[in-house]
Amino acid sequence: MKTVLTGAEIEAALAGLDGWSGDSAALVKRFRFADFKDALGFMVRVGFEAEAMNHHPEWTNVYNRVEVRLNTHDAGGQVTAKDVELARRMDVISGVERGSAA
């Protein structure tokens, strides 16, 4: 089983992530792209990262939006460092960097 992050650890992680929110149950974010093609491309690139990490997001896509929910199933559906790392990778793939305009 993975180590579950404390509330303070989650808050600290969220402070370093652009546009993410959450609590012990999940990290969440809505990404917006120019169009469906860009949203789908993001999902494909994240898919390769997620598979390499053996950590798969819960997400939905409607046209140019991708809504993401991250938690670790083998940690009882709570947030672990694995979720924070995938969130960081998603931000890099989306082109969002801390402090930049979304």
Side-chain angles (χ1 to χ4, degrees):
M1 181 178 267
K2 305 292 178 197
T3 303
V4 174
L5 298 182
T6 66
E9 290 170 326
I10 293 168
E11 285 182 37
L14 288 170
L17 295 169
D18 190 44
W20 288 85
S21 62
D23 55 27
S24 63
L27 301 180
V28 296
K29 183 172 181 175
R30 175 184 283 184
F31 291 89
R32 286 191 179 271
F33 300 92
D35 53 29
F36 176 74
K37 180 182 72 171
D38 288 346
L40 183 60
F42 166 77
M43 292 178 76
V44 169
R45 289 188 305 263
V46 169
F48 284 107
E49 290 291 324
E51 185 64 19
M53 293 176 68
N54 193 30
H55 190 53
H56 306 96
E58 294 177 30
W59 54 11
T60 59
N61 166 243
V62 176
Y63 182 59
N64 68 337
R65 295 182 319 274
V66 178
E67 295 186 25
V68 178
R69 177 181 167 85
L70 300 176
N71 61 27
T72 303
H73 300 284
D74 63 354
Q78 294 188 326
V79 175
T80 68
K82 211 172 190 182
D83 301 300
V84 175
E85 179 59 25
L86 185 53
R88 285 188 183 120
R89 291 182 188 197
M90 289 176 139
D91 280 348
V92 169
I93 289 168
S94 74
V96 173
E97 299 207 17
R98 183 72 182 145
S100 68

